[in-house]
PDB file of all heavy atoms in Angstrom:
ATOM      1  N   PHE O  27      70.109 138.805  81.888  1.00 88.00           N
ATOM      2  CA  PHE O  27      71.315 139.377  82.487  1.00 88.00           C
ATOM      3  C   PHE O  27      72.533 139.049  81.623  1.00 88.00           C
ATOM      4  O   PHE O  27      73.400 139.902  81.411  1.00 88.00           O
ATOM      5  CB  PHE O  27      71.497 138.853  83.913  1.00 88.00           C
ATOM      6  CG  PHE O  27      72.705 139.401  84.610  1.00 88.00           C
ATOM      7  CD1 PHE O  27      72.752 140.725  84.994  1.00 88.00           C
ATOM      8  CD2 PHE O  27      73.787 138.596  84.885  1.00 88.00           C
ATOM      9  CE1 PHE O  27      73.870 141.247  85.642  1.00 88.00           C
ATOM     10  CE2 PHE O  27      74.902 139.096  85.534  1.00 88.00           C
ATOM     11  CZ  PHE O  27      74.943 140.428  85.905  1.00 88.00           C
ATOM     12  N   GLN O  28      72.580 137.825  81.109  1.00 92.00           N
ATOM     13  CA  GLN O  28      73.705 137.427  80.259  1.00 92.00           C
ATOM     14  C   GLN O  28      73.733 138.193  78.934  1.00 92.00           C
ATOM     15  O   GLN O  28      74.774 138.298  78.295  1.00 92.00           O
ATOM     16  CB  GLN O  28      73.683 135.920  79.996  1.00 92.00           C
ATOM     17  CG  GLN O  28      74.003 135.097  81.223  1.00 92.00           C
ATOM     18  CD  GLN O  28      75.325 135.491  81.852  1.00 92.00           C
ATOM     19  OE1 GLN O  28      76.333 135.674  81.180  1.00 92.00           O
ATOM     20  NE2 GLN O  28      75.324 135.633  83.176  1.00 92.00           N
ATOM     21  N   LEU O  29      72.633 138.764  78.522  1.00 93.00           N
ATOM     22  CA  LEU O  29      72.563 139.577  77.304  1.00 93.00           C
ATOM     23  C   LEU O  29      72.852 141.051  77.571  1.00 93.00           C
ATOM     24  O   LEU O  29      72.988 141.831  76.634  1.00 93.00           O
ATOM     25  CB  LEU O  29      71.170 139.458  76.669  1.00 93.00           C
ATOM     26  CG  LEU O  29      70.761 138.063  76.204  1.00 93.00           C
ATOM     27  CD1 LEU O  29      69.321 138.074  75.718  1.00 93.00           C
ATOM     28  CD2 LEU O  29      71.699 137.563  75.118  1.00 93.00           C
ATOM     29  N   SER O  30      72.943 141.421  78.831  1.00 91.00           N
ATOM     30  CA  SER O  30      73.081 142.828  79.201  1.00 91.00           C
ATOM     31  C   SER O  30      74.542 143.277  79.225  1.00 91.00           C
ATOM     32  O   SER O  30      75.461 142.455  79.268  1.00 91.00           O
ATOM     33  CB  SER O  30      72.468 143.073  80.578  1.00 91.00           C
ATOM     34  OG  SER O  30      73.342 142.622  81.589  1.00 91.00           O
ATOM     35  N   PRO O  31      74.769 144.589  79.236  1.00 93.00           N
ATOM     36  CA  PRO O  31      76.140 145.106  79.348  1.00 93.00           C
ATOM     37  C   PRO O  31      76.772 144.824  80.714  1.00 93.00           C
ATOM     38  O   PRO O  31      77.969 144.959  80.882  1.00 93.00           O
ATOM     39  CB  PRO O  31      75.988 146.615  79.147  1.00 93.00           C
ATOM     40  CG  PRO O  31      74.605 146.856  78.699  1.00 93.00           C
ATOM     41  CD  PRO O  31      73.803 145.635  79.000  1.00 93.00           C
ATOM     42  N   TRP O  32      75.979 144.411  81.692  1.00 90.00           N
ATOM     43  CA  TRP O  32      76.470 144.162  83.060  1.00 90.00           C
ATOM     44  C   TRP O  32      76.752 142.690  83.306  1.00 90.00           C
ATOM     45  O   TRP O  32      77.008 142.286  84.436  1.00 90.00           O
ATOM     46  CB  TRP O  32      75.446 144.663  84.075  1.00 90.00           C
ATOM     47  CG  TRP O  32      75.192 146.115  83.938  1.00 90.00           C
ATOM     48  CD1 TRP O  32      75.939 147.142  84.446  1.00 90.00           C
ATOM     49  CD2 TRP O  32      74.131 146.728  83.211  1.00 90.00           C
ATOM     50  NE1 TRP O  32      75.402 148.338  84.085  1.00 90.00           N
ATOM     51  CE2 TRP O  32      74.288 148.132  83.320  1.00 90.00           C
ATOM     52  CE3 TRP O  32      73.063 146.239  82.469  1.00 90.00           C
ATOM     53  CZ2 TRP O  32      73.419 149.027  82.726  1.00 90.00           C
ATOM     54  CZ3 TRP O  32      72.187 147.140  81.871  1.00 90.00           C
ATOM     55  CH2 TRP O  32      72.377 148.510  82.008  1.00 90.00           C
ATOM     56  N   LYS O  33      76.742 141.869  82.275  1.00 91.00           N
ATOM     57  CA  LYS O  33      76.861 140.425  82.437  1.00 91.00           C
ATOM     58  C   LYS O  33      78.125 139.985  83.165  1.00 91.00           C
ATOM     59  O   LYS O  33      78.149 138.930  83.774  1.00 91.00           O
ATOM     60  CB  LYS O  33      76.765 139.724  81.090  1.00 91.00           C
ATOM     61  CG  LYS O  33      77.923 140.019  80.165  1.00 91.00           C
ATOM     62  CD  LYS O  33      77.743 139.349  78.837  1.00 91.00           C
ATOM     63  CE  LYS O  33      78.880 139.763  77.920  1.00 91.00           C
ATOM     64  NZ  LYS O  33      78.571 139.500  76.556  1.00 91.00           N
ATOM     65  N   ASP O  34      79.190 140.785  83.139  1.00 94.00           N
ATOM     66  CA  ASP O  34      80.435 140.417  83.816  1.00 94.00           C
ATOM     67  C   ASP O  34      80.524 140.947  85.242  1.00 94.00           C
ATOM     68  O   ASP O  34      81.509 140.682  85.938  1.00 94.00           O
ATOM     69  CB  ASP O  34      81.637 140.906  83.000  1.00 94.00           C
ATOM     70  CG  ASP O  34      81.715 140.232  81.640  1.00 94.00           C
ATOM     71  OD1 ASP O  34      81.382 139.029  81.557  1.00 94.00           O
ATOM     72  OD2 ASP O  34      82.102 140.898  80.665  1.00 94.00           O
ATOM     73  N   ASP O  35      79.521 141.679  85.674  1.00 91.00           N
ATOM     74  CA  ASP O  35      79.513 142.217  87.033  1.00 91.00           C
ATOM     75  C   ASP O  35      79.086 141.145  88.029  1.00 91.00           C
ATOM     76  O   ASP O  35      78.255 140.291  87.726  1.00 91.00           O
ATOM     77  CB  ASP O  35      78.544 143.403  87.150  1.00 91.00           C
ATOM     78  CG  ASP O  35      79.042 144.626  86.416  1.00 91.00           C
ATOM     79  OD1 ASP O  35      80.162 144.595  85.878  1.00 91.00           O
ATOM     80  OD2 ASP O  35      78.299 145.620  86.375  1.00 91.00           O
ATOM     81  N   GLU O  36      79.652 141.200  89.212  1.00 86.00           N
ATOM     82  CA  GLU O  36      79.294 140.287  90.295  1.00 86.00           C
ATOM     83  C   GLU O  36      77.963 140.726  90.896  1.00 86.00           C
ATOM     84  O   GLU O  36      77.782 141.895  91.243  1.00 86.00           O
ATOM     85  CB  GLU O  36      80.384 140.312  91.372  1.00 86.00           C
ATOM     86  CG  GLU O  36      80.082 139.485  92.582  1.00 86.00           C
ATOM     87  CD  GLU O  36      80.543 138.048  92.435  1.00 86.00           C
ATOM     88  OE1 GLU O  36      81.422 137.790  91.608  1.00 86.00           O
ATOM     89  OE2 GLU O  36      80.016 137.205  93.167  1.00 86.00           O
ATOM     90  N   LEU O  37      77.035 139.800  91.014  1.00 83.00           N
ATOM     91  CA  LEU O  37      75.752 140.118  91.635  1.00 83.00           C
ATOM     92  C   LEU O  37      75.879 140.020  93.150  1.00 83.00           C
ATOM     93  O   LEU O  37      76.546 139.118  93.665  1.00 83.00           O
ATOM     94  CB  LEU O  37      74.675 139.146  91.157  1.00 83.00           C
ATOM     95  CG  LEU O  37      74.281 139.255  89.700  1.00 83.00           C
ATOM     96  CD1 LEU O  37      73.333 138.124  89.325  1.00 83.00           C
ATOM     97  CD2 LEU O  37      73.619 140.592  89.428  1.00 83.00           C
ATOM     98  N   PRO O  38      75.232 140.923  93.884  1.00 81.00           N
ATOM     99  CA  PRO O  38      75.280 140.818  95.349  1.00 81.00           C
ATOM    100  C   PRO O  38      74.460 139.622  95.821  1.00 81.00           C
ATOM    101  O   PRO O  38      73.507 139.215  95.164  1.00 81.00           O
ATOM    102  CB  PRO O  38      74.654 142.136  95.815  1.00 81.00           C
ATOM    103  CG  PRO O  38      73.828 142.602  94.671  1.00 81.00           C
ATOM    104  CD  PRO O  38      74.466 142.065  93.423  1.00 81.00           C
ATOM    105  N   LEU O  39      74.850 139.073  96.958  1.00 77.00           N
ATOM    106  CA  LEU O  39      74.132 137.927  97.504  1.00 77.00           C
ATOM    107  C   LEU O  39      72.714 138.313  97.896  1.00 77.00           C
ATOM    108  O   LEU O  39      71.753 137.639  97.561  1.00 77.00           O
ATOM    109  CB  LEU O  39      74.872 137.358  98.710  1.00 77.00           C
ATOM    110  CG  LEU O  39      74.197 136.193  99.423  1.00 77.00           C
ATOM    111  CD1 LEU O  39      74.072 135.000  98.479  1.00 77.00           C
ATOM    112  CD2 LEU O  39      74.972 135.810 100.656  1.00 77.00           C
ATOM    113  N   SER O  40      72.595 139.421  98.608  1.00 77.00           N
ATOM    114  CA  SER O  40      71.283 139.819  99.107  1.00 77.00           C
ATOM    115  C   SER O  40      71.328 141.271  99.534  1.00 77.00           C
ATOM    116  O   SER O  40      72.385 141.848  99.714  1.00 77.00           O
ATOM    117  CB  SER O  40      70.917 138.948 100.306  1.00 77.00           C
ATOM    118  OG  SER O  40      69.707 139.376 100.864  1.00 77.00           O
ATOM    119  N   GLY O  41      70.136 141.831  99.725  1.00 74.00           N
ATOM    120  CA  GLY O  41      70.048 143.192 100.217  1.00 74.00           C
ATOM    121  C   GLY O  41      70.148 143.272 101.724  1.00 74.00           C
ATOM    122  O   GLY O  41      70.492 144.299 102.282  1.00 74.00           O
ATOM    123  N   ASN O  42      69.831 142.161 102.399  1.00 79.00           N
ATOM    124  CA  ASN O  42      69.894 142.137 103.861  1.00 79.00           C
ATOM    125  C   ASN O  42      69.963 140.698 104.364  1.00 79.00           C
ATOM    126  O   ASN O  42      69.728 139.754 103.615  1.00 79.00           O
ATOM    127  CB  ASN O  42      68.715 142.892 104.478  1.00 79.00           C
ATOM    128  CG  ASN O  42      67.394 142.315 104.037  1.00 79.00           C
ATOM    129  OD1 ASN O  42      67.213 141.109 104.017  1.00 79.00           O
ATOM    130  ND2 ASN O  42      66.461 143.172 103.675  1.00 79.00           N
ATOM    131  N   SER O  43      70.263 140.553 105.638  1.00 82.00           N
ATOM    132  CA  SER O  43      70.452 139.214 106.196  1.00 82.00           C
ATOM    133  C   SER O  43      69.154 138.421 106.270  1.00 82.00           C
ATOM    134  O   SER O  43      69.164 137.201 106.120  1.00 82.00           O
ATOM    135  CB  SER O  43      71.096 139.298 107.582  1.00 82.00           C
ATOM    136  OG  SER O  43      70.275 140.017 108.472  1.00 82.00           O
TER     137      SER O  43
END
Side-chain angles (χ1 to χ4, degrees):
F27 181 70
Q28 291 305 315
L29 298 175
S30 78
W32 300 278
K33 66 182 176 198
D34 296 324
D35 290 356
E36 176 88 21
L37 292 173
L39 177 63
S40 176
N42 58 44
S43 61

